[in-house]
Amino acid sequence: MNALCKRFTLAAVCILSLAAYGCGSSGETSDPQTEAKAPNQTETQKPPEPIELNMWFPSSVPQSDEAFMDLYGNIIKKKFPHIIPKFLPLNSTNTFEKMMAAKQPIDLMSISIGATATHLLNNGLQYDITELIRKHNYDLSVLEPSTIEIQRHVANGGIYGLPVSTDTMTVFYNRDLFDKFGVAYPKDGMVWDDLYDLVKRTSRTDGDVRYRGIGISPTHALQMDPLSPAFIDPKTDQGLLSGERFKRSFNTLLALFSIPGNEVDSQTWSYSNHLAEFQKNKTIAMLLGTSALGYAYFTDKENLNWDVADYPRYPDQRDVGPQSYPVYFYVSAISKHKDDAFLVSAFLTSKEAQVHLAERGVLPVLKDKSVMDSYGKSLPYMANKNVKAFLPDKFAAPAPVGQYNSIALAEITEAYRKVVLKEADVNTALRLADENIAKKIAEMKAR
């Protein structure tokens, strides 16, 4: 496990985006790659005093100081010699409550969009960086547009953080099982009916071994679905899971488990089971999972002969891929070094930093597609993989994400479990989910 975690953290999660600074009165622009001055520093001023920049990572990566320094710390120190980056992983010591009790400063936070409500909004750590963007002439237009659109939803027109990484959904498959069954590999550009056909052809019992055609991460799949269904009405805070748009997404995934041979039960319905069966037991032919799995889990350690194909498309929007799932670097509302924190996050969106991270398996969110040419160069197990399938040419428009998103996700998972195990029909499960969302939001507001 330690070896796997180390590989995971050295190669994992965070994507970054290109930005530029203005040069002040000259009207010219300069890149963070060449402008490393601290805020308000001039040529005649002495070097800035050293500061410690506390960076909280309430996620699974990086999991060690070594991994943090390899991904972020070393390039930050090189760019900003006066900044001492300090890694704060989420653990029993670094929970938000314990850090506040210990008066631990927090300057920057690396948080995925899925965890933004839990770790940023619900802790009151959000800070609108709009004025910092203006002050430092930061150019948002070089970033993948949906990452900024998501922030506009979250911050009610403002922006709390810059995207530093992204993720999305893809189709992983086991080449050996497809070869064993004489079935052609999944191809880019599939629609859902194509995927259903592959599931039918790879779900079977061979001797004493049962093989299933596919497994999924349902909450990730529904969060990044190309139809972009909203979970909660941002104006009324009422659940929208009973609506036709969400129901179409929900039923599209459920159909995978009504295919003969691919049914699941109380022991095999969960994503953790599907991941283990695909990765270790090698009894699932395909897995709908996040792109991050490729560089994070499916290393050469497991002797898994895997590759990837595009996430399936809806036939009425064949040119649209799944939604983006960015990781943002948020400037903390309680930081005493907001300018420095912003400049670090801006630098991490420069092409220099993006290439550095892409080489280590981090998926970029730049409009500049050339960064992907460096993707996985330091990871031998990425050789000969269809890495272009990790990111679609066109992301789906992002669904609105707000303070109560985590409530909706919990109810979606429970509704999915009930339906796939035949404990409730779709309409009943989603109606109950909407009722529970309304109840829990009311309780949260009353606190």
Side-chain angles (χ1 to χ4, degrees), residues 80-303:
F80 303 100
H82 72 290
I83 291 178
I84 303 166
K86 181 180 179 181
F87 175 47
L88 300 174
L90 180 64
N91 54 33
S92 59
T93 300
N94 292 331
T95 65
F96 175 73
E97 292 77 11
K98 288 187 177 180
M99 286 192 295
M100 291 303 95
K103 298 183 179 180
Q104 168 65 57
I106 303 173
D107 299 300
L108 268 179
M109 300 161 287
S110 176
I111 306 176
S112 71
I113 187 57
T116 290
T118 300
H119 295 299
L120 183 79
L121 304 179
N122 294 345
N123 289 328
L125 291 173
Q126 64 270 27
Y127 176 78
D128 192 340
I129 61 173
T130 299
E131 289 305 314
L132 289 172
I133 290 171
R134 291 175 183 152
K135 176 179 178 180
H136 297 289
N137 299 318
Y138 184 89
D139 184 7
L140 292 172
S141 70
V142 297
L143 305 175
E144 197 284 312
S146 73
T147 63
I148 301 305
E149 187 178 349
I150 291 168
Q151 274 299 299
R152 299 302 189 197
H153 286 313
V154 173
N156 297 315
I159 181 169
Y160 294 146
L162 298 178
V164 175
S165 65
T166 199
D167 202 356
T168 190
M169 295 294 292
T170 195
V171 180
F172 291 91
Y173 63 91
N174 185 329
R175 290 191 187 109
D176 291 341
L177 287 185
F178 277 83
D179 292 341
K180 177 183 177 69
F181 299 143
V183 178
Y185 298 151
K187 297 180 179 179
D188 292 343
M190 294 186 299
V191 294
W192 283 101
D193 282 344
D194 297 326
L195 185 68
Y196 296 152
D197 181 63
L198 288 178
V199 175
K200 291 176 185 176
R201 298 173 67 192
T202 53
S203 297
R204 61 182 72 186
T205 298
D206 184 41
D208 295 331
V209 181
R210 181 192 174 192
Y211 295 95
R212 282 182 284 160
I214 202 165
I216 69 170
S217 172
T219 52
H220 285 114
L222 289 165
Q223 283 183 89
M224 290 176 256
D225 190 88
L227 295 179
S228 307
F231 301 159
I232 296 174
D233 187 322
K235 295 181 179 179
T236 66
D237 291 334
Q238 297 298 303
L240 297 174
L241 306 186
S242 298
E244 291 306 311
R245 195 172 189 85
F246 180 83
K247 198 177 294 184
R248 183 184 179 193
S249 299
F250 199 66
N251 284 328
T252 297
L253 294 178
L254 288 171
L256 294 167
F257 300 102
S258 63
I259 294 172
N262 200 56
E263 301 94 344
V264 293
D265 58 27
S266 61
Q267 302 300 311
T268 60
W269 76 274
S270 70
Y271 171 54
S272 60
N273 172 270
H274 297 179
L275 181 59
E277 291 297 315
F278 179 82
Q279 180 185 11
K280 296 181 180 180
N281 298 338
K282 302 176 180 63
T283 55
I284 287 182
M286 295 176 286
L287 185 72
L288 297 186
T290 64
S291 298
L293 290 173
Y295 55 79
Y297 281 101
F298 304 152
T299 70
D300 49 7
K301 294 287 187 182
E302 300 291 346
N303 193 29

Side-chain angles (χ1 to χ4, degrees), residues 1-16 57-74 87-90 110 165 292-299 301 329 356-363 375 378-379 381:
M1 177 61 72
N2 288 338
L4 179 60
C5 287
K6 181 177 180 181
R7 179 67 62 88
F8 177 82
T9 57
L10 287 174
V13 171
C14 303
I15 287 175
L16 309 148
F57 287 74
S59 63
S60 57
V61 292
Q63 292 179 335
S64 69
D65 287 323
E66 179 186 8
F68 168 75
M69 294 305 296
D70 181 66
L71 282 172
Y72 304 109
N74 291 333
F87 175 47
L88 300 174
L90 180 64
S110 176
S165 65
L293 290 173
Y295 55 79
Y297 281 101
F298 304 152
T299 70
K301 294 287 187 182
F329 269 38
H356 166 87
L357 289 158
E359 289 173 348
R360 290 155 175 76
V362 172
L363 289 166
Y375 183 80
S378 67
L379 307 176
Y381 56 87

